[in-house]
Amino acid sequence: MKEDIILAGVGGQGILSIATVIGNAAVKQDLNLKQAEVHGMSQRGGDVQSHLRLSTGPISSDLIPKGAGDLIVSLEPLEALRYLQWLSPDGWIITNVTPFVNIPHYPGQDAILAELRKTGRVIALDADAIAREAGSPRSSNMALLGATAAVLDILDADKLRDGIRAVFARKGEAIVQANIKAFDAGLEFARKSHE
């Protein structure tokens, strides 16, 4: 079993935190893991993406071939659109609907979402609102990760919660619980919309 995931967003949104949580969970579940990152973090708002390859068997490369991605997980809808060529025909897109407008002439949100929905397998959520409702506005990335857990076959949701605990433990129990609450709210949203 294997899953190839592209994480996408812009600097400061928490893409690398999602990658760290998934990586931690994969290691705890004895999976093979390869990761490659490309980011413009020296400039907040720059393009950030990470390729994560998880497998029960050997993994040859840390980069996902075009057309082979199982999931595109994006904290920003235009960034999900940017990586469509990596998505396999039966892959999933999990995207936040809240735009991060960092370029002139940013396309309309409806047009972006319509293009994404042409793939047929999209969970679009307002991760920012879900995180706010969960009491942790800065945890939209964990709400998005929760939504991803609804279609992520290779990792168990409990292992992802353990990953959240491990990654955020140094910030205190209140931060850990806020992130888990956002994760659970995103997971519940995706399960309801996926049914």
Side-chain angles (χ1 to χ4, degrees):
M1 175 183 270
K2 67 121 183 121
E3 268 183 306
D4 290 334
I5 307 164
I6 293 181
L7 303 173
V10 295
Q13 288 188 304
I15 287 296
L16 300 181
S17 292
I18 291 174
T20 303
V21 169
I22 291 173
N24 183 288
V27 168
K28 297 281 187 196
Q29 204 165 307
D30 291 325
L31 296 173
N32 292 306
L33 163 73
K34 290 217 180 208
Q35 178 180 358
E37 297 170 2
V38 177
H39 47 82
M41 288 176 48
S42 60
Q43 176 181 337
R44 196 165 195 77
D47 173 39
V48 178
Q49 56 125 330
S50 181
H51 288 222
L52 284 173
R53 306 192 79 191
L54 310 173
S55 178
T56 54
I59 303 169
S60 299
S61 171
D62 54 352
L63 294 177
I64 299 167
K66 288 183 181 177
D70 299 299
L71 292 165
I72 294 174
V73 179
S74 182
L75 270 158
E76 204 283 329
L78 189 59
E79 291 300 318
L81 190 61
R82 180 193 305 254
Y83 296 102
L84 272 184
Q85 59 189 323
W86 274 268
L87 190 65
S88 73
D90 59 347
W92 279 92
I93 297 169
I94 316 298
T95 188
N96 188 4
V97 297
T98 306
F100 187 100
V101 181
N102 59 350
I103 58 170
H105 311 295
Y106 189 98
Q109 181 182 16
D110 291 340
I112 295 169
L113 292 174
E115 194 64 32
L116 293 175
R117 286 190 174 107
K118 287 179 183 178
T119 67
R121 299 178 85 184
V122 177
I123 296 176
L125 67 151
D126 188 338
D128 295 4
I130 289 171
R132 275 193 306 276
E133 288 169 20
S136 183
R138 294 185 53 166
S139 299
S140 60
N141 60 339
M142 292 301 113
L144 187 71
L145 178 58
T148 302
V151 295
L152 189 60
D153 294 326
I154 201 164
L155 282 176
D156 180 80
D158 286 335
K159 293 287 190 233
L160 289 166
R161 286 185 195 93
D162 290 344
I164 292 169
R165 284 184 190 90
V167 169
F168 293 102
R170 64 182 171 78
K171 294 186 177 189
E173 188 59 24
I175 299 295
V176 168
Q177 290 308 313
N179 279 285
I180 289 174
K181 189 174 180 183
F183 172 89
D184 287 339
L187 178 58
E188 180 181 347
F189 173 90
R191 283 181 173 159
K192 286 180 181 175
S193 69
H194 184 48
E195 291 171 355

